[in-house]
Amino acid sequence: MSMKINKLEIENVKRVKAVKIEPTANGLTIIGGKNNQGKTSVLDAIAWALGGDRYRPSQAQREGSVIPPNLHIVMNNGLIVERRGKNSDLKVTDPNGKKAGQQLLNEFVEQLALDLPKFMEATSQEKAQTLLQIIGVGPRLADLERQEKELYNERTYIGRTADQKEKYAKEQPYYPDVPSVPVSASELIRQQQEILAQNGENQRKRERRHQLEQEYQSVTEQIQALLAKQGQLEADLKIARETSEGLTDRSTAELEENISNIEEINRKVRANLDKDKAEEDAKGYREQYKRLTAQIEEIRSQKTDLLKEADLPLPGLGVEDGELVYHGQKWDNMSGSEQLKVSTAIVRRLNPECGFVLLDKLEQMDLDTLHEFGQWLEQEGLQAIATRVSTGGECSLIIEDGYVAGQEHPAAEEKKEWKAGVF
């Protein structure tokens, strides 16, 4: 059973003169009133009574009162908490009449339930850590966050490198009419010498044919005497003609020009190779970028699944990039009413035995939101005692000049006047 407040009586604390309240067990009990009437003093008194001296107001006793503060709270299990007397000593009596102290109260009183602004003013990262502590997925989520950050940084580097390579490739000129590899001067000279040697051989064959034709002319004139030699020469001439027909000399002009322009050709070749290399590198980096993106998405999916499977204090709560979010909105983008609702849900889960929470300045909620918030509290079985600068019908009670409006006021304190010589 979670602990809630059944009754409270407060006298002479800050602006409170005398207040008796029986908060509703589930839902909102709104203490309304104008400014400076004692609304917040009621919450401060409850925090002091249950939370200990750390919550004691710096000027606890009401100004002008000669009677010390008196606090009396009855919890829903019958536990009675009192602070009274000059030193406001704590007295805790359990349902069986046994005496106890602050240690017993600390077992069921969640400190943030008494001081909700402390949670609300924490950083987004601290709020997120509180939530992860509650649902028990902090270490696993932290590991996924670390993996995601490492992959994200690596992907960022890969993406930038790919962009640089693509930019470099675009800036490089391209020469489609040059070889695919740098030209070697010695290779061109070798080719030139080979062609010159072949041309020389062709010339030799031509000269040989000419010589044979001359001899044939001479032998023909002496045909009677040289018939045997004529036959041999005719055979040789036939062979020579066959081998020399169709011969074409090749020009070395292109090679000579290439030799003279070898540096320019090689410059263009290297430019093409650089461009091809940059494009290939960029393609490789893009593939890495896609792979890393897929890994990041997988980790983000694991994070989402981890939080989906967790028992969250409030649907829509989560942690993104190490910060608390509600329906996708970070803390600074939440409305004031959403911040209150989120804070209340998380603080309730911190100590399930604490069934109440104190809320100050609830005027930031409009009436519709206030009604929805009250319904949510009832569904959660949570008791909230709140203040609101209002005297409207939404208020459970109104504080006027330190009293609950409509309640019977106790007799006014008698102020003793001292006269010299009179005792």
Side-chain angles (χ1 to χ4, degrees):
M1 178 180 67
S2 59
M3 298 291 284
K4 300 176 186 179
I5 299 172
N6 271 7
K7 299 177 183 179
L8 62 94
E9 298 177 8
I10 304 168
E11 295 180 8
N12 300 317
V13 179
K14 296 181 69 175
R15 293 184 182 276
V16 171
K17 295 179 179 177
V19 166
K20 294 182 180 180
I21 302 175
E22 294 186 11
T24 180
N26 297 315
L28 267 173
T29 297
I30 300 178
I31 303 172
K34 298 179 180 179
N35 289 319
N36 302 319
Q37 298 300 302
K39 302 182 303 298
T40 301
S41 297
V42 174
L43 300 189
D44 291 343
I46 297 173
W48 178 23
L50 299 178
D53 287 336
R54 75 174 72 177
Y55 295 100
R56 180 190 178 100
S58 58
Q59 295 182 355
Q61 187 167 319
R62 179 174 62 84
E63 186 177 356
S65 175
V66 296
I67 300 177
N70 180 18
L71 300 91
H72 184 92
I73 296 179
V74 180
M75 307 302 294
N76 60 336
N77 69 340
L79 190 73
I80 299 174
V81 181
E82 296 176 291
R83 285 187 183 274
R84 62 177 61 195
K86 182 178 179 180
N87 297 322
S88 301
D89 294 330
L90 174 65
K91 179 182 178 182
V92 180
T93 308
D94 70 14
N96 298 319
K98 295 181 180 180
K99 306 302 180 185
Q102 189 63 50
Q103 186 175 357
L104 175 61
L105 300 181
N106 291 341
E107 292 178 3
F108 67 84
V109 174
E110 169 54 47
Q111 299 300 316
L112 290 177
L114 303 178
D115 187 11
L116 198 62
K118 183 178 180 181
F119 174 82
M120 299 180 71
E121 292 165 6
T123 66
S124 294
Q125 290 77 12
E126 289 170 340
K127 294 184 183 75
Q129 287 304 314
T130 301
L131 175 61
L132 297 179
Q133 171 191 340
I134 292 170
I135 62 179
V137 298
R140 175 57 180 154
L141 191 64
D143 184 57
L144 290 174
E145 292 275 3
R146 179 188 58 76
Q147 293 181 43
E148 179 184 356
K149 185 176 181 180
E150 290 176 355
L151 289 171
Y152 181 85
N153 291 339
E154 182 181 357
R155 187 186 70 171
T156 299
Y157 169 76
I158 291 296
R160 289 174 180 170
T161 305
D163 292 340
Q164 292 171 357
K165 292 291 184 179
E166 289 174 348
K167 181 181 179 183
Y168 178 77
K170 289 178 181 178
E171 291 174 350
Q172 291 300 306
Y174 192 77
Y175 307 96
D177 55 346
V178 300
S180 59
V181 296
V183 179
S184 169
S186 59
E187 176 62 18
L188 291 177
I189 292 173
R190 186 194 66 75
Q191 293 180 24
Q192 181 190 38
Q193 290 175 344
E194 185 178 305
I195 291 174
L196 290 174
Q198 185 178 356
N199 290 347
E201 179 65 16
N202 291 345
Q203 182 61 29
R204 188 188 65 76
K205 289 179 179 180
R206 292 190 190 96
E207 291 174 354
R208 174 64 178 161
R209 185 186 67 179
H210 181 68
Q211 179 185 358
L212 289 174
E213 285 178 344
Q214 287 183 338
E215 290 181 4
Y216 179 77
Q217 181 69 27
S218 175
V219 170
T220 300
E221 295 176 353
Q222 304 173 33
I223 194 168
Q224 292 299 324
L226 301 171
L227 288 175
K229 188 175 180 178
Q230 180 186 34
Q232 183 62 42
L233 289 174
E234 285 181 351
D236 293 342
L237 181 59
K238 180 179 179 182
I239 295 172
R241 285 173 176 171
E242 289 176 353
T243 57
S244 64
E245 287 180 359
L247 294 177
T248 303
D249 289 345
R250 293 171 60 191
S251 174
T252 63
E254 182 179 355
L255 286 173
E256 290 171 355
E257 182 180 359
N258 287 344
I259 292 172
S260 63
N261 296 329
I262 188 168
E263 285 305 319
E264 177 63 16
I265 293 172
N266 285 342
R267 183 188 67 78
K268 294 179 178 180
V269 169
R270 284 191 293 270
N272 287 355
L273 291 174
D274 287 345
K275 184 179 181 70
D276 293 341
K277 180 65 166 54
E279 290 177 345
E280 186 65 25
D281 288 346
K283 182 180 179 181
Y285 282 118
R286 285 300 174 205
E287 290 299 322
Q288 292 183 52
Y289 188 90
K290 291 178 181 178
R291 185 176 67 255
L292 290 170
T293 298
Q295 292 176 356
I296 290 172
E297 292 302 322
E298 172 60 24
I299 287 178
R300 288 176 177 172
S301 176
Q302 291 181 35
K303 287 168 55 182
T304 301
D305 292 342
L306 189 65
L307 291 174
K308 282 182 179 178
E309 295 168 0
D311 182 17
L312 293 168
L314 193 65
L317 269 182
V319 175
E320 293 180 6
D321 300 326
E323 294 190 40
L324 184 72
V325 294
Y326 181 52
H327 291 309
Q329 297 297 319
K330 293 185 177 180
W331 183 263
D332 58 350
N333 288 328
M334 297 180 199
S335 67
S337 59
E338 287 176 328
Q339 290 177 349
L340 277 173
K341 187 173 182 179
V342 168
S343 301
T344 303
I346 291 177
V347 168
R348 168 68 184 285
R349 187 63 67 84
L350 280 171
N351 186 350
E353 290 188 21
C354 184
F356 66 92
V357 63
L358 307 183
L359 303 170
D360 198 15
K361 298 180 177 60
L362 214 59
E363 56 269 11
Q364 60 188 304
M365 287 189 181
D366 59 43
L367 293 180
D368 290 339
T369 306
L370 195 66
H371 179 67
E372 292 175 3
F373 184 50
Q375 287 184 325
W376 176 77
L377 290 168
E378 291 181 23
Q379 292 171 3
E380 293 294 313
L382 182 61
Q383 179 188 66
I385 303 175
T387 66
R388 180 178 175 86
V389 179
S390 171
T391 56
E394 76 278 12
C395 299
S396 306
L397 54 101
I398 306 296
I399 297 289
E400 292 180 352
D401 191 27
Y403 295 106
V404 175
Q407 280 186 4
E408 182 179 350
H409 298 179
E413 297 179 27
E414 295 183 3
K415 184 176 181 181
K416 295 183 179 180
E417 296 184 2
W418 300 92
K419 296 181 181 180
V422 177
F423 297 93

